């Protein structure tokens, strides 16, 4: 079977950091994506997991829209490896964000680096508030959000909602 060429806009960089960048997902990303997204122990605090390849294809390979929510691939510049993904959704005067890094690349600073770059990218879009959710037990994500300047806005047994006003974020 002949593979379809990758559309030029699929490899377009959306935003980048020192060691990685984001772009649309392409079919060749799916095996690595499924490997970490369907690792139910690693993904125990995430919602978008445990799906079939076809369901991930439907969700990831369609035309992205920030207004309806989009997953973007995080790619390491050095070797073009998929490190993880970020979620971005624009709602009126705010952006919802989320991130996941493959366990292969955990504790190497990639999550902090790319989420910080995502915040800077959102600031370039205008004066938006930024929100992120984390399960109360997800200490690593909560620490990441706090390190980036987020503060707890709302708390429930299911999810902690954190808020960052871009005006308080310093480059």
């Amino acid at each position: 079977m002949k593979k379809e060429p990758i559309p030029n806009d699929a490899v377009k960089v959306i935003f980048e950091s020192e060691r990685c960048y984001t772009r649309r997902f392409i079919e060749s990303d799916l095996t690595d994506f499924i490997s970490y997204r369907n690792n139910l122990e690693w993904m125990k605090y995430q919602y978008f997991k445990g799906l079939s390849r076809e369901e991930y294809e439907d969700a990831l390979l369609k035309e992205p829209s920030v207004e309806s929510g989009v997953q973007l691939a995080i790619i390491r510049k050095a070797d073009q490896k998929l490190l993880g993904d970020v979620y971005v959704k624009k709602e009126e005067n705010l952006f919802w964000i989320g991130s996941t890094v493959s366990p292969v690349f955990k504790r190497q600073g990639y999550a902090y680096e790319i989420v910080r770059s995502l915040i800077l990218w959102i600031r370039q879009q205008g004066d938006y508030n930024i929100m992120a959710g984390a399960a109360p037990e997800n200490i690593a994500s909560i620490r990441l959000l706090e390190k980036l300047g987020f503060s707890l806005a709302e708390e429930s047994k299911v999810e902690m909602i954190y808020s960052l006003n871009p005006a308080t974020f310093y480059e």
Side-chain angles (χ1 to χ4, degrees):
M1 176 189 290
K2 184 178 175 187
K3 283 197 169 197
E4 292 294 316
I6 299 169
N8 287 338
D9 64 336
V11 293
K12 179 182 171 209
V13 172
I14 310 298
F15 60 89
E16 65 182 310
S17 65
E18 181 181 337
R19 299 180 294 163
C20 42
Y21 65 91
T22 62
R23 62 159 167 75
R24 288 175 52 185
F25 274 90
I26 56 176
E27 188 172 350
S28 61
D29 296 327
L30 291 179
T31 299
D32 288 341
F33 179 84
I34 291 168
S35 175
Y36 70 82
R37 276 289 172 168
N38 286 356
N39 175 338
L40 298 184
E41 176 57 29
W42 181 248
M43 298 300 294
K44 62 186 166 189
Y45 303 123
Q46 299 286 346
Y47 297 113
F48 186 52
K49 63 184 175 195
L51 304 178
S52 70
R53 183 178 186 92
E54 292 76 26
E55 289 170 312
Y56 284 128
E57 284 176 358
D58 288 344
L60 299 173
L61 301 181
K62 65 182 181 185
E63 187 67 32
S65 165
V66 174
E67 286 74 18
S68 61
V70 63
Q71 299 284 143
L72 298 172
I74 304 170
I75 306 297
R76 185 165 55 183
K77 290 177 180 178
D79 58 9
Q80 302 302 302
K81 285 275 198 193
L82 177 71
L83 299 176
D85 58 275
V86 293
Y87 175 77
V88 186
K89 183 176 183 182
K90 181 181 174 190
E91 293 179 353
E92 296 178 16
N93 66 339
L94 68 91
F95 276 85
W96 284 96
I97 65 169
S99 67
T100 302
V101 173
S102 167
V104 174
F105 301 104
K106 69 181 180 182
R107 300 229 174 271
Q108 297 177 40
Y110 289 114
Y112 175 83
E113 185 177 318
I114 204 67
V115 173
R116 187 174 182 286
S117 294
L118 171 56
I119 292 166
L120 293 171
W121 178 82
I122 291 170
R123 286 184 66 189
Q124 293 172 353
Q125 310 309 306
D127 188 24
Y128 293 96
N129 288 321
I130 302 172
M131 306 289 283
E137 307 84 13
N138 191 348
I139 303 304
S141 288
I142 290 169
R143 285 188 180 142
L144 172 65
L145 292 171
E146 290 172 345
K147 183 177 178 179
L148 288 161
F150 283 79
S151 57
L152 184 61
E154 190 178 314
E155 185 174 355
S156 75
K157 291 180 181 178
V158 179
E159 189 170 42
M160 314 276 277
I161 304 295
Y162 285 81
S163 175
L164 175 74
N165 183 323
T168 65
F169 178 79
Y170 301 101
E171 297 177 37

